Amino acid sequence: GQETHHHLFFECQYSSAVWQSFAGSVCSNPPSDLHSAAAWILHGARHSQAQATTLLKLFLQSTIYLIWRERNARIFTSTATPLAALRVTLDRLIRDRLLSVPVRSASASSLLQFYFSCTRPPWGFFFFRKVVVVHVCCNKLPWQHCIEKTLKMV
């Protein structure tokens, strides 16, 4: 078939699954095409929290970037990334970006905390904070190794 922006963002089942899994964690039923998603985020009609709007903008930008990179890899190197791996890459990209965003005030929660509250179950947040520390310490070891290492620490 012919490649179009509409197909890549987000009519394609692959890209739609990535977008829906992340945007759906902040707001239920996010738009399923690029133009509607951009308008939805800019107008903020469905979400009133500033943190949600910021996070959705980051999701959209990051998802578009990774989908375009995946498209180029498939065309130029004939390699395809499994959906689960792309979701992990997107999660890492978002967390890395959110780590650099300063907290506005001592009483406000950070965007990273807001992201975790949207994407992680409440019981996992305590463990996840430790995993991030262990992950940094074990320097690029597989994620599962960090979880096992963290569970042994608890």
Side-chain angles (χ1 to χ4, degrees), residues 29-51:
N29 301 317
S32 58
D33 69 90
L34 178 62
H35 298 291
S36 297
W40 177 67
I41 292 168
L42 288 174
H43 290 79
R46 307 234 179 191
H47 43 82
S48 58
Q49 280 190 343
Q51 286 185 320

Side-chain angles (χ1 to χ4, degrees), residues 1-9 67-68 70-72 74-75:
Q2 190 177 23
E3 179 184 285
T4 65
H5 280 102
H6 286 289
H7 176 74
L8 281 175
F9 314 110
I67 294 298
W68 192 257
E70 175 65 17
R71 171 213 175 258
N72 287 344
R74 289 181 183 202
I75 291 172

Side-chain angles (χ1 to χ4, degrees), residues 88-131:
V88 168
T89 302
L90 181 57
D91 178 64
R92 179 83 257 166
L93 180 68
I94 290 167
R95 285 187 286 128
D96 286 347
R97 176 62 184 107
L98 292 176
L99 278 170
S100 68
V101 177
V103 179
R104 293 182 185 193
S105 70
S107 62
S109 64
S110 71
L111 276 170
L112 186 60
Q113 287 173 318
F114 182 72
Y115 173 67
F116 288 148
S117 73
C118 294
T119 60
R120 305 290 189 267
W123 54 265
F125 183 70
F126 175 75
F127 291 112
F128 194 79
R129 285 179 48 202
K130 286 187 176 182
V131 170

